[in-house]
Amino acid sequence: AQGLAAVTAFRKNVDSFITEVTESVFVQDQAGGRFGPVRRPINGEGGKIEGFEVAGQYAFGWGGGFNINYTYSDSESPFFNDVDRGLPIPGVAKHAYNAQVYYQNFGFEARLSYTWRDKSFDSNFQFGDEVAPFSSSTDDDITRTFGVWNRDYGQLDAQLGYQITDNIGVTLEAINLTEEDQSQYLQYENLPFAFESGSRRILLGIRGSFGEGAGR
């Protein structure tokens, strides 16, 4: 049996990152014109991430074991919108953890893993309110910029494997066992923005190794 426990602090300076913004662009048409959302990638000006990670793992002599880790990440960037300033770096969740239990012995392998992350900032979304919808002038148009946020998300995965011979093995993998959905909201949690229905994926595979030294 053997185990490990560790605590690590970190600070990262990010020179630049790629994100996307959605801007409200006025487009001429037969009715005079209207606003429509246009999404485009931009280079973020950079930022910083600081926090810590706590991790632990243990392997029992009979082949079972577990590992778990928790990460706290506090990030800040020059990004801003009409509600917030110093927004987090896109995709960086403040809280996240992973946990896994496993068994590996006599050619048989089984793993059950769960990952979870807190809400995270995704991008800015700009939209306009037209006071004069049939006018081609944008002088009276008001634009607002809100943040798009990813809701917190957790996923359960499982994997089974068996080494039939020294050279051939089979694996069965299930991804998102509980069919968790992913979604986003526009600035406020009661304003849904995007939704992706969760699906369970089952993968069956065969692995093999051939040639000198195979199976060692």
Side-chain angles (χ1 to χ4, degrees):
Q2 56 183 353
L4 170 70
V7 178
T8 306
F10 59 85
R11 178 187 175 91
K12 301 177 182 179
N13 292 318
V14 182
D15 293 334
S16 181
F17 54 84
I18 298 176
T19 186
E20 291 185 334
V21 294
T22 303
E23 298 177 333
S24 184
V25 177
F26 190 83
V27 180
Q28 295 282 355
D29 60 21
Q30 294 179 346
R34 67 185 64 189
F35 278 93
V38 174
R39 194 173 181 89
R40 64 183 180 89
I42 63 170
N43 288 320
E45 298 179 14
K48 65 178 181 178
I49 308 173
E50 53 187 15
F52 63 89
E53 180 180 16
V54 180
Q57 64 183 49
Y58 195 85
F60 298 96
W62 46 268
F66 68 87
N67 56 69
I68 186 170
N69 69 72
Y70 163 79
T71 304
Y72 172 82
S73 303
D74 186 19
S75 68
E76 185 178 358
S77 73
F79 253 40
F80 66 92
N81 54 38
D82 290 350
V83 180
D84 298 313
R85 304 190 69 85
L87 284 162
I89 293 176
V92 177
K94 182 164 286 189
H95 304 280
Y97 68 83
N98 304 276
Q100 181 184 88
V101 293
Y102 64 87
Y103 173 79
Q104 186 172 356
N105 211 352
F106 305 110
F108 179 77
E109 180 181 349
R111 297 180 184 273
L112 187 66
S113 306
Y114 184 77
T115 61
W116 180 88
R117 56 151 176 79
D118 200 2
K119 69 177 184 179
S120 61
F121 176 70
D122 179 77
S123 59
N124 276 332
F125 183 87
Q126 186 181 91
F127 56 96
D129 292 335
E130 288 188 62
V131 177
F134 298 106
S135 170
S136 60
S137 172
T138 60
D139 293 342
D140 296 323
D141 297 325
I142 301 173
T143 60
R144 293 180 172 85
T145 303
F146 282 175
V148 177
W149 292 78
N150 302 307
R151 297 184 190 273
D152 63 284
Y153 177 75
Q155 181 172 302
L156 181 65
D157 302 326
Q159 181 178 349
L160 294 174
Y162 184 70
Q163 195 69 25
I164 301 173
T165 70
D166 289 343
N167 300 335
I168 299 176
V170 294
T171 59
L172 178 65
E173 186 175 4
I175 300 173
N176 195 14
L177 271 170
T178 55
E179 299 183 302
E180 296 296 322
D181 304 321
Q182 298 189 59
S183 61
Q184 297 177 320
Y185 62 89
L186 182 62
Q187 192 61 51
Y188 304 103
E189 293 194 20
N190 61 341
L191 293 178
F193 182 79
F195 178 85
E196 181 179 342
S197 179
S199 60
R200 183 188 301 116
R201 289 176 289 165
I202 307 295
L203 306 175
L204 177 63
I206 300 176
R207 58 192 178 192
S209 57
F210 303 95
E212 185 178 355
R216 293 183 182 177

